[in-house]
Amino acid sequence: MAGRRSERAARPVDLAGPGEDRSPRVERVLRGVWTGAVMLSLVIGVLAVPIGFIEGRNSGTAAAIESAGTTPRPVVLLRQRVEEDRYGYGVEELLADYRTDDGDVRTAQLHSYGQFRVVREEEGWHLVPDGAGREVYVTADGRDGFLAEDYREMRRGEDDVVYRVAYAWVGGWAVVGLVALGARSVVRVRRGVITARGAVLAPALHCLGAVALVALGWAVSFPLGAGF
């Protein structure tokens, strides 16, 4: 008898029994899935969304130049504005003085030069030594344009795949988060914690937050891409 009592005492006791309600545990898991999905979406989205808007505008400008049949213009002078931040020195603005068909010299702000190297690690305007002799493609009004090499690269669209993957990552995890949040709301309705009308609130807020973040990325892309 003593042996049987000690054996029963050593066994784990299931206090909840076979009819245990596992809904709270499911809710915690779904909430964790939603939190993880949002974080994974934001990790890439914080950079991909604003940069995507910038690249979209640049691609539109390049397409307009191509449809207008603009020919490249010879560069007379190339200048860059260098600024320093926590990551070091970078090109914040690039201007090209180019010659028109009439022989006049005009100035255009260039875009899409993220990999353009600084000529001097010092803040301010600097001349690019090998600027003269290059070619630029400019818009119809002549105010904006691209270096010929940047223009051709944009028309090839080699970076499009990268952005598509980034958008798929962001959108995919956002959908996973929405599904997890919706499933959690269904579980809470079945438990009687919230009403069917209240179950719509959390997924709606999730979608509203996603739209707000995209709008914020669109707004940030303008100052961020002032020169790019």
Side-chain angles (χ1 to χ4, degrees):
M1 286 292 291
R4 291 182 179 178
R5 289 178 182 175
S6 61
E7 182 180 351
R8 286 197 300 268
R11 294 175 181 174
V13 179
D14 188 358
L15 297 178
E20 178 187 5
D21 183 8
R22 302 183 183 274
S23 297
R25 183 183 302 174
V26 174
E27 284 185 34
R28 288 194 296 271
V29 171
L30 291 173
R31 183 174 59 186
V33 171
W34 172 77
T35 302
V38 169
M39 294 301 298
L40 289 171
S41 180
L42 288 176
V43 165
I44 302 298
V46 167
L47 292 176
V49 173
I51 293 177
F53 280 117
I54 295 170
E55 290 297 318
R57 288 195 294 269
N58 286 341
S59 296
T61 302
I65 293 173
E66 183 180 36
S67 63
T70 305
T71 57
R73 309 295 183 182
V75 173
V76 177
L77 199 66
L78 194 61
R79 294 165 287 163
Q80 61 177 212
R81 180 168 62 86
V82 177
E83 288 190 2
E84 183 183 12
D85 56 23
R86 67 178 67 180
Y87 304 107
Y89 292 91
V91 181
E92 294 298 320
E93 193 172 358
L94 193 64
L95 299 180
D97 294 346
Y98 65 93
R99 196 174 301 279
T100 65
D101 292 336
D102 298 332
D104 298 331
V105 175
R106 299 188 62 180
T107 301
Q109 184 177 45
L110 304 184
H111 303 271
S112 187
Y113 48 86
Q115 301 301 321
F116 202 90
R117 295 182 179 180
V118 299
V119 297
R120 185 187 306 171
E121 292 189 347
E122 179 182 337
E123 290 190 336
W125 285 97
H126 306 292
L127 293 178
V128 179
D130 57 347
R134 293 193 179 194
E135 291 183 326
V136 292
Y137 285 84
V138 297
T139 55
D141 60 10
R143 298 179 181 178
D144 296 272
F146 306 91
L147 288 170
E149 51 266 38
D150 288 339
Y151 173 78
R152 297 187 184 101
E153 182 178 348
M154 291 200 65
R155 297 313 299 149
R156 286 195 297 268
E158 294 178 351
D159 293 335
D160 290 350
V161 176
V162 176
Y163 288 109
R164 287 173 186 168
V165 172
Y167 298 152
W169 173 280
V170 174
W173 283 114
V175 171
V176 169
L178 178 61
V179 171
L181 204 58
R184 182 173 180 266
S185 295
V186 171
V187 173
R188 289 171 65 83
V189 168
R190 290 178 177 176
R191 289 182 59 205
V193 177
I194 58 175
T195 63
R197 180 177 298 180
V200 182
L201 181 60
L205 289 176
H206 176 88
C207 295
L208 183 62
V211 172
L213 287 174
V214 171
L216 180 61
W218 176 80
V220 169
S221 70
F222 286 95
L224 184 64
F228 289 87

